[in-house]
Amino acid sequence: MTPITEVEGRRLALTNLDKVLYPSIGFTKGEALHYYATCAGALLAHLYNRPVSFLRFPDGPDGQQFFTKNVPPGTPGWVRTAEVPRHREEGTATHVLVQDMSSLVWAANLVTEFHTPQWQADSPGTADRMVFDLDPGAPATVVECCTVALWLRERLAADGLHVCAKTSGSKGLHVLVPIEPTPSEKVTAYAKELAVEAERELPGLALHRMTRSLRPGKVFVDFSQNAAAKTTATPYTLRARAEPTVSAPVTWEEIEGCEEPGELSFLAPEIAPRLAAYGDLLGPLINLNRARKLPRRFR
């Protein structure tokens, strides 16, 4: 019999709780739901009012994966949605908003990564955060990403901006900046300028171009995820990797001290203790007092 649970007055059918999603450590779907429930406070703060795109992997990371931005079939009527502009097409598309615990548990039951844009549903295309996705090309690892992240922190601070960081949950790092509302195209232009500057200042390490042949041993500073049409892995989301890794906030001390890739890889069971120890290290992203304007020519 399919278990029925009640969350915030909503009855939810939770399926296949004993199904092993991550065979490498025997991590089950039930454990994934438990992870999302225990870290809901921090995760929901970063999902709130942002249209969600789902990367679903119902049979685990080794099974079929499919990306969807539209409301999934069978979505309960009480799940909130938002109409957002279609990029490159006319009209709008309907996206899910994960605003509360019941919506989160419903979405987690689909087995999904959560991806969100840098803007909120009521101001599409106007970003309130900026992101640099640092992606290492083998044999470079997250250790090399740390060097680039520290350069970006110093450079962004010189422009008066507050800087946070999290793991991607895969190979690299995400550097994040709370900003006053700014058109996405201007944010992208500023981020590209800094990526080009990073390549110039860190020769042989940083790269602002996606060209595959240039990437071995370097860190690609991907500024393009600031485009209005792009999304990034939401803080605290599980990832569809060999193990239940999480896109986890990290301290700058951890980045400064990182000498081995495993030092900046965090599994789902490690996140609740980190929240207890540090709180939400990405709190500045949702604290309006930390948001600053970009340099004048990019406003």
Side-chain angles (χ1 to χ4, degrees):
M1 180 179 293
T2 300
I4 301 292
T5 190
E6 185 170 303
V7 182
E8 298 177 330
R10 309 287 190 186
R11 287 172 58 83
L12 295 169
L14 304 181
T15 57
N16 303 317
L17 296 182
D18 293 330
K19 185 175 187 177
V20 175
L21 294 179
Y22 297 89
S24 61
I25 64 168
F27 193 82
T28 67
K29 182 179 176 182
E31 290 175 298
L33 285 166
H34 180 261
Y35 162 72
Y36 277 128
T38 55
C39 299
L43 173 58
L44 284 169
H46 294 283
L47 286 170
Y48 188 79
N49 203 36
R50 294 183 191 274
V52 175
S53 298
F54 297 110
L55 176 63
R56 295 184 58 191
F57 54 110
D59 294 316
D62 294 329
Q64 183 184 16
Q65 300 181 25
F66 49 98
F67 202 77
T68 179
K69 295 190 174 186
N70 295 317
V71 175
T75 298
W78 46 263
V79 172
R80 292 187 60 188
T81 60
E83 296 296 315
V84 300
R86 293 182 183 272
H87 299 283
R88 302 191 184 94
E89 299 179 36
E90 294 184 356
T92 62
T94 306
H95 289 227
V96 166
L97 296 177
V98 178
Q99 305 287 75
D100 48 38
M101 178 70 89
S102 54
S103 298
L104 176 61
V105 174
W106 162 78
N109 188 60
L110 300 176
V111 187
T112 183
E113 292 182 1
F114 296 98
H115 292 250
T116 40
Q118 314 315 317
W119 43 266
Q120 298 195 39
D122 50 6
S123 55
T126 300
D128 61 357
R129 60 180 58 172
M130 176 170 53
V131 63
F132 295 87
D133 181 2
L134 306 183
D135 185 11
T141 68
V142 73
V143 177
E144 285 73 28
C145 291
C146 289
T147 300
V148 178
L150 291 167
W151 183 89
L152 280 170
R153 179 181 65 162
E154 182 176 345
R155 178 62 183 81
L156 289 159
D159 279 345
L161 298 167
H162 188 88
V163 191
C164 307
K166 66 181 178 74
T167 68
S168 67
S170 180
K171 299 178 296 180
L173 286 176
H174 293 159
V175 173
L176 300 133
V177 182
I179 58 175
E180 293 191 10
T182 305
S184 294
E185 61 269 20
K186 293 185 177 294
V187 179
T188 303
Y190 173 65
K192 180 178 181 179
E193 182 174 283
L194 265 61
V196 171
E197 188 175 335
E199 182 173 331
R200 183 172 64 248
E201 294 295 319
L202 300 172
L205 178 59
L207 182 71
H208 84 279
R209 290 162 289 176
M210 192 180 292
T211 308
R212 289 288 176 185
S213 61
L214 300 175
R215 292 180 62 177
K218 297 183 180 180
V219 175
F220 173 42
V221 183
D222 186 357
F223 58 87
S224 70
Q225 291 184 29
N226 294 288
K230 296 291 188 72
T231 60
T232 305
T234 307
Y236 302 102
T237 186
L238 278 169
R239 302 305 304 269
R241 298 295 183 263
E243 297 182 312
T245 53
V246 172
S247 187
V250 291
T251 68
W252 287 107
E253 290 75 18
E254 288 175 310
I255 290 174
E256 290 167 351
C258 181
E259 296 180 349
E260 297 291 337
E263 295 174 14
L264 288 184
S265 179
F266 300 99
L267 303 183
E270 299 176 84
I271 303 304
R274 287 180 64 82
L275 282 168
Y278 298 118
D280 180 11
L281 292 168
L282 298 183
L285 292 177
I286 50 179
N287 181 345
L288 296 180
N289 292 327
R290 295 297 186 96
R292 297 289 184 269
K293 294 180 182 295
L294 295 187
R296 186 174 299 278
R297 65 186 182 281
F298 294 104
R299 297 176 194 169

